[in-house]
Amino acid sequence: MGLGRGSFRLKGQICYSLDKDHIRTVKEGTVVCVDGISQGVFETVPEIYEGLPKEDFGDCLIVPGLTDLHIHAPQYAFRGLGMDLELLEWLETRTFPEEAKYSDLDYAKRAYTLFAEELKRGGTASACVFATLHVPATELLMELLDEAGIRAFVGKVNMDRNSPDFLREESARRSEEDTLLWLKDTADKYALVKPILTPRFIPTCSDELMDRLCGISEAYGLPLQSHLSENRGEIDWVKELCPDSLFYGDAYDKRGALKSPSRTVMAHCVWSGDEEIRLMKERGTFIAHCPQSNTNLSSGIAPVRRFIDEGISVGLGSDVAGGACTGIFRAMADAIQVSKLRWRLVDESQKPLTVEEAFYLGTLGGGAFFGNVGSFEEGYELDALVLDDSRCPHPLELSLKERLERFIYLGYDRCIVGKYVAGRKIF
């Protein structure tokens, strides 16, 4: 995997978020890494760091590694298929039959190797990943991602109802037992990859199962990930299944899922109403905004402007295979574009996202789920991408911010020529 977690200097044209409204750019700047931790960005390197090894990337852009807050590893194999379907039909006809294949460890190894290599070559440094309900395949995925140098939370999926016989756990107790076995097998096993509890969503998880998983979360201090208010049909289904709940998010909250002791991330939140938004803000829930998936599956346009203005923690998700692309630069552009449609067609009080905000969501905003991740500020884990945008030639004289904006919209992952995660050189 290249250099170990180390100390070095990276010189180039540096861009990173200070906050959601400001991108700092430094021409011919240097980011200093000591024992995997950023010491900051300097125009003139302090004497104390001058002895560190230096890589000079010339006119290339250097930006923080990207965070994907929501992606399904077993769905990578069928990206771009079934996109004429809505969520629930798509799950039944495409997703569940594919995920059942991961009971075969040989198939899982072929598929997950492709997935891990894709993330390694691309801009993603950190990811919240759904696996399947199969323990051996989930452990294999964790191993492959760790070998690829990706910082990840990986979840063994839990589902004990409303799913086909070939992809349903026999009981809430058995699901809990398998989850505890998986946690024992993987405890402190990997440098970069950790477990995250993963009830698929309320329709496939009984109240008993949710109670058991939230008990594990409390006992082990584990984060939790799931789906929330993605599709209108799904929301109506939850009303039928949980008649005592006031709204979808309340069904999770009654079981304790929104107040995980180590953070909860909910994907989508397309149709979250006032009460649900207020509850997520109170609980400190992260939202994974997945604009491409929400478009492909005709789910709708999430009110991401409102989430940001409310001070809710938000990041971006590719949501492969609802989204057809693993690239988070693409997700930044998609997020801006769908926010323009929402502003023009749905609610003119919610202004579109800016480039600054989209870049923040894909770096510092989503990275916060992992801790001090997503920035070059002092004290952050050193994740970096080196972008050679000269491979996309043009005749213009552009500022660093304009070059970054252009890269976001063009989304050329093939122009990523260097990558570091947690102070480790990936390529």
Side-chain angles (χ1 to χ4, degrees):
M1 197 168 67
L3 298 175
R5 184 179 175 95
S7 304
F8 50 83
R9 296 177 286 161
L10 304 178
K11 185 176 181 181
Q13 313 305 317
I14 295 175
C15 306
Y16 64 101
S17 290
L18 296 175
D19 53 43
K20 67 181 180 63
D21 298 314
H22 300 94
I23 295 173
R24 185 187 180 202
T25 62
V26 183
K27 290 185 177 180
E28 298 183 7
T30 299
V31 58
V32 175
C33 176
V34 175
D35 295 330
I37 304 298
S38 174
Q39 306 303 302
V41 173
F42 304 94
E43 297 181 44
T44 301
V45 176
E47 184 176 351
I48 190 175
Y49 302 128
E50 286 184 350
L52 296 178
K54 180 177 77 171
E55 294 201 55
D56 190 337
F57 291 102
D59 197 44
C60 289
L61 298 173
I62 301 178
V63 304
L66 310 181
T67 294
D68 189 337
L69 268 190
H70 185 67
I71 186 169
H72 292 260
Q75 297 177 19
Y76 177 78
F78 68 94
R79 292 178 304 151
L81 297 174
M83 296 289 91
D84 54 344
L85 304 174
E86 290 191 48
L87 173 66
L88 298 180
E89 185 180 3
W90 181 77
L91 289 172
E92 291 290 342
T93 60
R94 289 287 181 178
T95 302
F96 292 162
E98 176 63 25
E99 291 193 8
K101 297 177 184 178
Y102 288 75
S103 62
D104 179 346
L105 203 56
D106 288 336
Y107 182 84
K109 185 173 184 178
R110 294 200 305 273
Y112 281 156
T113 297
L114 293 172
F115 174 77
E117 284 299 312
E118 169 88 0
L119 291 197
K120 179 178 180 177
R121 292 192 304 267
T124 298
S126 306
C128 286
V129 185
F130 279 58
T132 64
L133 56 81
H134 311 100
V135 171
T138 301
E139 294 179 6
L140 172 63
L141 174 62
M142 295 174 79
E143 180 180 340
L144 291 170
L145 287 173
D146 197 66
E147 290 175 354
I150 303 298
R151 179 192 297 103
F153 284 119
V154 172
K156 173 220 165 304
V157 171
N158 301 92
M159 44 199 298
D160 69 337
R161 68 175 178 180
N162 294 325
S163 48
D165 292 343
F166 56 77
L167 197 70
R168 184 175 66 246
E169 293 166 300
E170 65 182 43
S171 67
R173 179 178 293 278
R174 178 60 185 273
S175 182
E176 178 188 44
E177 290 171 352
D178 285 351
T179 299
L180 291 171
L181 172 64
W182 163 62
L183 293 175
K184 180 180 178 181
D185 287 348
T186 59
D188 300 320
K189 189 174 182 179
Y190 308 109
L192 291 171
V193 179
K194 306 298 179 187
I196 183 169
L197 295 174
T198 307
R200 185 175 213 110
F201 65 159
I202 289 288
T204 60
C205 296
S206 66
D207 287 352
E208 181 186 353
L209 177 54
M210 291 300 302
D211 286 340
R212 289 177 182 273
L213 292 177
C214 290
I216 293 173
S217 175
E218 187 70 31
Y220 286 74
L222 292 175
L224 184 146
Q225 62 180 349
S226 196
H227 302 83
L228 177 61
S229 296
E230 178 178 359
N231 169 280
R232 281 174 162 171
E234 167 203 17
I235 293 168
D236 289 342
W237 195 9
V238 172
K239 288 179 182 177
E240 295 176 7
L241 293 169
C242 306
D244 61 328
S245 295
L246 301 175
F247 47 90
Y248 195 164
D250 187 50
Y252 280 115
D253 197 52
K254 277 180 162 48
R255 315 261 72 90
L258 293 188
K259 49 187 176 184
S260 162
S262 183
R263 300 180 301 283
T264 293
V265 58
M266 287 287 167
H268 305 298
C269 304
V270 173
W271 299 101
S272 294
D274 292 346
E275 291 178 294
E276 191 161 276
I277 291 171
R278 188 179 307 114
L279 179 62
M280 288 189 287
K281 182 176 180 179
E282 290 174 358
R283 296 291 186 253
T285 303
F286 277 70
I287 294 174
H289 177 43
C290 306
Q292 189 180 122
S293 173
N294 295 337
T295 301
N296 285 338
L297 297 177
S298 303
S299 297
I301 308 171
V304 66
R305 159 62 59 213
R306 182 170 178 192
F307 298 152
I308 292 172
D309 289 349
E310 291 273 0
I312 295 172
S313 298
V314 186
L316 297 175
S318 66
D319 194 27
V320 163
C325 174
T326 62
I328 296 301
F329 285 119
R330 168 67 187 271
M332 294 177 194
D334 288 338
I336 295 170
Q337 290 166 343
V338 301
S339 75
K340 291 177 179 178
L341 291 176
R342 185 178 178 91
W343 171 61
R344 181 61 68 198
L345 301 175
V346 180
D347 184 352
E348 291 190 345
S349 73
Q350 293 187 10
K351 293 294 185 182
L353 295 185
T354 64
V355 168
E356 287 87 349
E357 288 170 325
F359 185 63
Y360 169 85
L361 294 181
T363 56
L364 188 55
F369 191 77
F370 293 81
N372 284 343
V373 169
S375 175
F376 293 146
E377 290 281 282
E378 182 179 0
Y380 278 73
E381 295 194 53
L382 197 287
D383 301 343
L385 303 177
V386 183
L387 314 177
D388 184 4
D389 57 340
S390 70
R391 298 185 179 191
C392 313
H394 61 85
L396 307 174
E397 291 291 333
L398 301 178
S399 68
L400 293 188
K401 184 191 167 187
E402 287 173 328
R403 287 171 62 186
L404 176 62
E405 178 180 10
R406 182 174 179 268
F407 198 95
I408 287 170
Y409 275 97
L410 296 181
Y412 284 141
D413 278 7
R414 61 185 171 85
C415 297
I416 300 173
V417 297
K419 182 174 183 178
Y420 299 77
V421 177
R424 297 172 172 88
K425 185 175 183 179
I426 307 304
F427 61 81

